[in-house]
Amino acid sequence: MNATTDKAIRADRAAVPRLEFVEVRKAFGDLVVLDGVTIRVDPGEVVCVIGPSGSGKSTLLKCANALEPIQGGRIVFDGQPLPADAEGIRRVRRRMGMVFQSFELFPHMTALANVEAGPRTVLGMDAASARARAEALLDKVGLADKAAQYPSALSGGQQQRVAIARALAMEPEVMLFDEPTSALDPETIGEVLGVMKRLAEEGMTMVVVTHEMTFARRVADRVVVLDRGRVLEEGPPRQIFEEAREPRTREFLSHLEWTG
């Protein structure tokens, strides 16, 4: 990256965050899941969210995509608060890609059909253009030879890569990953993390909820630690993994098995 480009990116980041959570509060009945969470995600930044199970990580992403309403604070996307009306929410979701733990592919559709469905039905692309985009994205995630396969014939890692291609087909401005490798066996985790690493290198804005600490350390620009619905601490990966300020962070990391 040259100095001019780097300067432009820094200026853009200083101006308007791509996604921002400001004192966000979310509760299910009496159970408070997010308790005043504030996180800023700048354009082109990769933010990994880590923390114990039940700390609110997945709920945070669902709130970002308006899959769950919030009870307090605000979520801001490209300088504008998330809309409350259905049409406004649909417009925002077109600009956010979300990859879930459980793939969520259409079982009756081939890999190619899964990827081209969004551009055709939501963006109104013609069939030829949607197919060309889908074929290019399957090639991008290393699955060009699986285009005609149905999800049941694919491994978990392959299904998740199709899910990533499907999200990318909408040309999102930010990608949200909710523990994308949690349902995978060890042999296929690397396939998915490799695709995500390449997206990061290409400058995709990403918020990744993950238990893959090596990925967070090597790929994230910033790591946010959530615990009991609150931001415990945040900072560059080296700070979090080697010089964590909070005893609770050090305790959490000490119980994990990871390399690097």
Side-chain angles (χ1 to χ4, degrees):
M1 182 182 296
N2 61 46
T4 302
T5 302
D6 185 53
K7 182 178 180 181
I9 290 177
R10 289 199 306 271
D12 188 25
R13 290 183 176 183
V16 180
R18 180 71 76 210
L19 183 64
E20 190 172 21
F21 303 85
V22 182
E23 292 293 323
V24 171
R25 184 180 186 278
K26 170 65 182 176
F28 295 101
D30 295 331
L31 177 63
V32 177
V33 182
L34 299 174
D35 190 7
V37 171
T38 295
I39 300 171
R40 172 181 174 132
V41 183
D42 289 315
E45 188 176 30
V46 178
V47 174
C48 282
V49 183
I50 67 173
S53 297
S55 58
K57 305 183 299 297
S58 293
T59 300
L60 182 77
L61 292 193
K62 290 176 182 176
C63 291
N65 206 21
L67 293 172
E68 289 286 351
I70 61 176
Q71 281 80 49
R74 66 185 188 279
I75 299 174
V76 182
F77 178 58
D78 263 357
Q80 298 295 322
L82 285 189
D85 62 290
E87 179 55 36
I89 290 172
R90 280 193 291 270
R91 287 196 301 269
V92 167
R93 285 179 180 162
R94 292 173 191 170
R95 301 168 63 193
M96 288 188 189
M98 188 159 183
V99 178
F100 299 89
Q101 301 175 30
S102 54
F103 321 139
E104 304 291 342
L105 298 177
F106 297 116
H108 62 291
M109 292 183 176
T110 64
L112 183 66
N114 264 280
V115 178
E116 68 181 1
R120 290 188 65 178
T121 61
V122 179
L123 301 182
M125 289 182 67
D126 63 84
S129 298
R131 173 151 296 202
R133 178 180 292 187
E135 289 173 340
L137 286 169
L138 285 176
D139 184 59
K140 182 184 182 75
V141 300
L143 293 173
D145 61 333
K146 303 294 183 181
Q149 298 292 317
Y150 288 88
S152 61
L154 302 175
S155 70
Q158 290 169 339
Q159 289 186 62
Q160 193 62 294
R161 283 186 282 159
V162 173
I164 292 172
R166 181 181 61 183
L168 292 173
M170 300 296 289
E171 298 190 331
E173 296 164 37
V174 60
M175 286 284 288
L176 309 175
F177 291 90
D178 183 12
E179 297 191 20
T181 61
S182 66
L184 305 181
D185 61 75
E187 292 184 357
T188 58
I189 287 174
E191 302 172 359
V192 174
L193 295 181
V195 171
M196 293 169 63
K197 184 175 184 292
R198 289 194 295 274
L199 289 178
E201 291 168 347
E202 293 170 3
M204 174 64 72
T205 307
M206 298 163 58
V207 183
V208 184
V209 168
T210 185
H211 288 295
E212 300 293 335
M213 297 299 121
T214 300
F215 175 86
R217 182 168 185 164
R218 294 177 178 173
V219 178
D221 296 297
R222 198 154 37 86
V223 176
V224 176
V225 185
L226 279 190
D227 184 43
R228 298 179 182 178
R230 297 183 179 182
V231 175
L232 196 59
E233 61 181 304
E234 64 176 291
R238 185 178 181 277
Q239 174 188 316
I240 297 300
F241 292 115
E242 299 179 18
E243 303 171 356
R245 298 186 306 269
E246 297 294 330
R248 181 70 181 100
T249 301
R250 296 195 293 271
E251 178 189 9
F252 166 70
L253 293 174
S254 72
H255 292 298
L256 299 176
E257 294 183 8
W258 61 290
T259 58

